[in-house]
Amino acid sequence: MKVQIEEETMKMPKDKRSILVSWPKRIYTWDELPAPFCPALQTWRNLGMPMENVAYIPRLFHEEGEPEYLSAWWGAQALLQIFQEGKTRAVLLEPGRVRRCCYHEKQPHALVEIEVDGFGTVSFPYNKTRKQLRSILDIVLGNSPDAVFPTGHPQTPELQKLQDDSYSMYNLSRLCYRFGRRLLDFLWLRGRDRNLFRRVDPEYWVGATERGLTAISCDRNGSRTVWIAWSNLSSISLEGEGRGRCVRIVPAAGAAVELPVLSGQMQAAEAFLKRIDALEVRKPPT
């Protein structure tokens, strides 16, 4: 699909209502669709794309200059349109073009950042309760739009220990199944954060599936999940010394991910990296 965009203008009145009005909204009729977003969807509309595949994401009205978005999907393709400063841009989010995907969550906000080959980084607000946006994320990660994922981890001693030690990270780590059906290995690290008013330990988790790595960071400010395909992994290693020691994951495109490693966690981190290096899924086909 070749997307052709004509610049459109649209004036939006300033709105000081609750941030809830800026959360993604399902579009029920074509008449509800703001005019600047219509041209890029005409081909899919002619092919029979249902309105339930379209979601309008208004700008955050309490902040000047914020963009607004429209997401849509048809078949195995997703389209994101960005309207800002009177102009509309569109990017086709095909799985083969996506080099890296990152999901940030900080209530009540959530944000998806996608590294698109030939386009750069594109991001948009997200609401995990909206089914149509889950379909967009699934397509970006190479899944079917209606993919069904495991609701729990396999019953292994290692995963049972994770559940006992950190029920919250056990649940968060299930996000790895958006990037693979089999959890091959994982490393869980608990950090240190002694705040004067709150005693909260940050947590870090990296899991390997047959398709790539899922790295999760969680602290008092929220959580951050990064999906990196094996084909886009440049290196994973143990770097630094003392308080600067970390597991460093470097993708071929996008920023590196660093997971702090305390002195008592060195042995576990080293053993994990050795197992990752030996995984058959990382070896090129013969």
Side-chain angles (χ1 to χ4, degrees), residues 138 143-144 146-152 174 177-181:
D138 287 335
N143 303 316
S144 64
D146 56 353
V148 178
F149 305 99
T151 57
R174 292 181 298 171
Y177 296 117
R178 289 191 176 272
F179 213 48
R181 293 291 175 175

Side-chain angles (χ1 to χ4, degrees), residues 38-85:
C38 292
L41 294 182
Q42 192 60 50
T43 300
W44 284 357
R45 180 180 178 182
N46 294 340
L47 291 172
M49 178 185 67
M51 290 304 303
E52 65 185 23
N53 290 15
V54 181
Y56 172 53
I57 310 171
R59 66 166 128 156
L60 299 177
F61 294 110
H62 69 295
E63 295 183 19
E64 293 293 338
E66 286 291 317
E68 53 191 301
Y69 309 83
L70 190 95
S71 69
W73 64 271
W74 181 239
Q77 294 181 320
L79 181 70
L80 180 69
Q81 296 190 67
I82 308 161
F83 178 82
Q84 190 173 26
E85 297 179 351

Side-chain angles (χ1 to χ4, degrees), residues 14-18 61-62:
K14 186 174 181 180
D15 194 328
K16 296 182 179 180
R17 291 174 294 172
S18 164
F61 294 110
H62 69 295

